[in-house]
Amino acid sequence: MMPTIVFATPKGGAGKSTSAVILATELALKGADVTILDADPNKPVTQWGIMPGKPDNLSVVANITEATIIDEIDAAAQKTAFVIVDCEGTASMTVAYAIGRADFVIIPTQGSQLDAAQTAKAIRLIKQQEKAFSKTLPYAILFTRTSAAIKPRTLQHVQQEFRKYGIKSFETQLNEREAYRALFSFGGTLSSMSPTDVPNLEAAVINARAFAGEVIATLKKAQAHENVPQAQEVAS
């Protein structure tokens, strides 16, 4: 069985589905077989997946429910190198079941105190699932919709608070980029977009690749300590 990566946050609008699609497409473009399970009732990933340009080695499974999510994760993990779960933006049994099956949980959040409070709820849910399944569930916070040029004081404060409590966050932040929004308007991948149609496309591609690379490196580190399933080698 291959790694299952769950994107979870109780707060909508944190860039969860965007982050999931960016990671999935970057892994697929490197040659890995990827399945995204769309467990968000709004179905943003499903809507992206039916547009042209989705990589052939990336599958989207829709209509994931509380009753089916465990079986769907297990089935996908038997077939593809990476399973990515886009959970609904709330705390529910569906989210809890997904986290319980995860090898790694990514918590997208924006750099505000309100988002930090919601992130704390997601962490508590992870800790509950660790107790329920008697296993360690590696996780990290992903700061999203940040400015590439400015680091606001509020973001710095939130980062300091998380570090104080030993909570890991990605060094890479997903910046606010028009290219990321364009994915859900036109489909496809960042690499299939034209720089004449999307501003600062090259910067978005570099940002996305850095995020995917850090996920792979974090998984490998977790494997060394927690004996989680081996991540497929993805060419750099």
Side-chain angles (χ1 to χ4, degrees):
M1 294 180 68
M2 294 297 184
T4 296
I5 304 167
V6 172
F7 285 80
T9 175
K11 184 178 182 297
K16 175 181 53 58
S17 299
T18 301
S19 306
V21 168
I22 288 171
L23 177 60
T25 52
E26 289 303 313
L27 292 174
L29 289 172
K30 293 296 186 183
D33 292 328
V34 182
T35 299
I36 309 182
L37 303 184
D38 188 355
D40 187 332
N42 295 318
K43 301 182 180 180
V45 176
T46 300
Q47 292 165 16
W48 166 82
I50 62 177
M51 289 186 282
K54 178 177 67 63
D56 292 338
N57 54 332
L58 194 161
S59 302
V60 176
V61 180
N63 301 315
I64 303 298
T65 67
E66 178 182 322
T68 65
I69 189 163
I70 292 177
D71 289 341
E72 292 286 6
I73 289 174
D74 290 350
Q78 296 287 346
K79 295 185 293 186
T80 54
F82 292 91
V83 180
I84 295 174
V85 185
D86 181 31
C87 292
E88 59 186 309
T90 184
S92 68
M93 287 305 298
T94 304
V95 177
Y97 289 152
I99 289 174
R101 272 295 194 272
D103 297 304
F104 189 57
V105 182
I106 297 176
I107 309 171
T109 186
Q110 296 185 68
S112 72
Q113 203 60 43
L114 176 61
D115 284 79
Q118 296 301 313
T119 298
K121 290 182 180 179
I123 293 171
R124 285 196 292 272
L125 181 57
I126 292 169
K127 296 301 181 183
Q128 290 170 356
Q129 294 306 100
E130 285 184 328
K131 290 182 180 179
F133 290 94
S134 298
K135 62 184 283 191
T136 299
L137 294 169
Y139 67 91
I141 294 164
L142 172 67
F143 287 100
T144 60
R145 296 180 173 171
T146 58
S147 168
I150 302 170
K151 191 172 182 180
R153 186 177 177 185
T154 50
L155 172 59
Q156 295 180 54
H157 174 71
V158 169
Q159 289 176 310
Q160 290 169 0
E161 286 296 300
F162 285 140
R163 281 196 294 266
K164 184 169 71 175
Y165 291 102
I167 297 170
K168 177 180 171 52
S169 61
F170 286 97
E171 291 184 16
T172 306
Q173 300 175 4
L174 280 186
N175 304 139
E176 183 74 40
R177 296 287 183 189
E178 177 61 28
Y180 299 158
R181 289 188 289 270
L183 282 171
F184 292 89
S185 295
F186 308 112
T189 69
L190 295 173
S191 296
S192 67
M193 293 180 186
S194 170
T196 59
D197 296 330
V198 182
N200 300 316
L201 178 59
E202 183 180 359
V205 170
I206 291 171
N207 187 204
R209 289 176 179 171
F211 168 49
E214 191 172 353
V215 170
I216 294 300
T218 303
L219 273 172
K220 288 180 177 178
K221 187 175 180 180
Q223 288 161 2
H225 290 89
E226 303 295 341
N227 194 32
V228 301
Q230 291 295 308
Q232 174 175 305
E233 289 292 334
V234 177
S236 58

